[in-house]
Amino acid sequence: MLGKLAFRNMKRSARDYLVYVLTMTLVTALVYAFSSLIFRKDFIKIDVWNDMMGTMVIVASVFVVLIAAWLIGYMVRFILEKRSSEFGIYLLLGMKKKKIAGLYMRETLLL
């Protein structure tokens, strides 16, 4: 029964999850791009690290990681707030919190 419910819920909220997946993909690509720039051998050989540019690249990378962490937290809260009334209804119907967490995990795995 939980499998059917998870599949139906996944289909119903596919649009929200699409925004979530696209945002996470973009953030991951951005963090990877900045991280690969720091550790690139060509970039290190130029001896850029002695001047201001090396410091600026590191500061920009830290800034991108902080924004990525905030964005991930925001997206998780967004998804859970959209579904909070649904989870409350499940609790009112007598479903245990453990079952609701399992349902949410099944939906995530199906995606």
Side-chain angles (χ1 to χ4, degrees):
M1 165 137 166
L2 285 180
K4 280 180 160 178
L5 187 60
F7 185 72
R8 193 193 76 200
N9 287 341
M10 188 235 1
K11 280 182 14 186
R12 248 186 337 166
S13 56
R15 186 177 49 149
D16 296 332
Y17 280 116
L18 180 66
V19 171
Y20 176 77
V21 169
L22 289 176
T23 304
M24 290 303 129
T25 303
L26 180 69
V27 165
T28 304
L30 193 62
V31 168
Y32 177 76
F34 272 92
S35 296
S36 67
L37 182 65
I38 290 175
F39 297 110
R40 215 176 138 86
K41 290 181 183 178
D42 301 340
F43 195 68
I44 293 172
K45 285 181 185 176
I46 298 175
D47 199 23
V48 180
W49 298 107
N50 293 332
D51 62 359
M52 192 67 148
M53 187 174 169
T55 307
M56 294 296 281
V57 169
I58 291 174
V59 168
S61 297
V62 169
F63 185 68
V64 165
V65 167
L66 290 175
I67 287 179
W70 174 80
L71 190 60
I72 289 170
Y74 179 78
M75 287 303 296
V76 168
R77 274 194 315 271
F78 170 75
I79 292 293
L80 289 177
E81 281 180 19
K82 283 253 258 199
R83 309 273 315 275
S84 65
S85 62
E86 180 183 340
F87 293 148
I89 291 171
Y90 291 151
L91 284 171
L92 283 174
L93 290 173
M95 196 180 259
K96 304 260 188 234
K97 288 183 181 180
K98 207 175 212 181
K99 289 247 186 197
I100 295 173
L103 177 69
Y104 187 70
M105 287 302 295
R106 283 184 187 193
E107 290 174 26
T108 305
L109 290 175
L110 282 172
L111 285 171

